Amino acid sequence: QVQVVESGGGLVQAGGSLRLSCAASGRTYSLTFLGWFRQAPGKEREFVAHITWVGSRTLYADSVKGRFTISRDYAKDTVYLQMNSLQPEDTAVYYCAARPEYSGEYTYWGQGTQVTVSS
């Protein structure tokens, strides 16, 4: 089992920045990816970014490329999502999710953290 807990959401004005954290615990050695997803009101959940647990290779959605940066602190088993130049359309609940090597999908999900960007 793996547990992931997000933190760092909040309210920010357009153009501002926030940093989300995702702390992983449990059998983290089994992980291949840790990703961020978001869901805005009335919309489907969408992929934001992921990082490989080994090697820290990253991938971003086109909508956040150049504005968001995902990174990993190996010592803390924590992944960060640095979000800059935030826009109202970035308003959503942001979820951290972990994908283990024995699964082809994200299996472990956090409770989500609200990010609200005011115009």
Side-chain angles (χ1 to χ4, degrees):
Q1 290 283 345
V2 174
Q3 296 79 40
V4 291
V5 179
E6 308 99 333
S7 61
L11 172 65
V12 65
Q13 289 189 330
S17 299
L18 280 175
R19 188 177 79 158
L20 305 183
S21 299
C22 175
S25 60
R27 297 183 176 181
T28 58
Y29 57 83
S30 69
L31 296 180
T32 52
F33 294 92
L34 201 143
W36 286 97
F37 296 77
R38 66 186 182 186
Q39 187 166 21
K43 294 189 176 181
E44 304 240 333
R45 186 171 60 199
E46 64 175 357
F47 169 80
V48 175
H50 78 212
I51 189 165
T52 59
W53 201 243
V54 176
S56 294
R57 294 185 301 277
T58 61
L59 181 69
Y60 297 92
D62 287 343
S63 59
V64 306
K65 203 173 294 183
R67 299 188 298 124
F68 291 10
T69 302
I70 189 170
S71 62
R72 181 189 167 192
D73 184 325
Y74 281 79
K76 297 181 179 179
D77 273 353
T78 297
V79 170
Y80 302 100
L81 186 68
Q82 178 66 42
M83 305 185 295
N84 298 328
S85 302
L86 284 162
Q87 299 302 316
E89 52 265 34
D90 295 315
T91 295
V93 177
Y94 283 71
Y95 297 92
C96 175
R99 177 173 158 181
E101 59 188 1
Y102 51 81
S103 174
E105 58 186 30
Y106 286 88
T107 304
Y108 304 104
W109 291 81
Q111 79 286 355
T113 185
Q114 177 71 47
V115 171
T116 303
V117 185
S118 63
S119 57

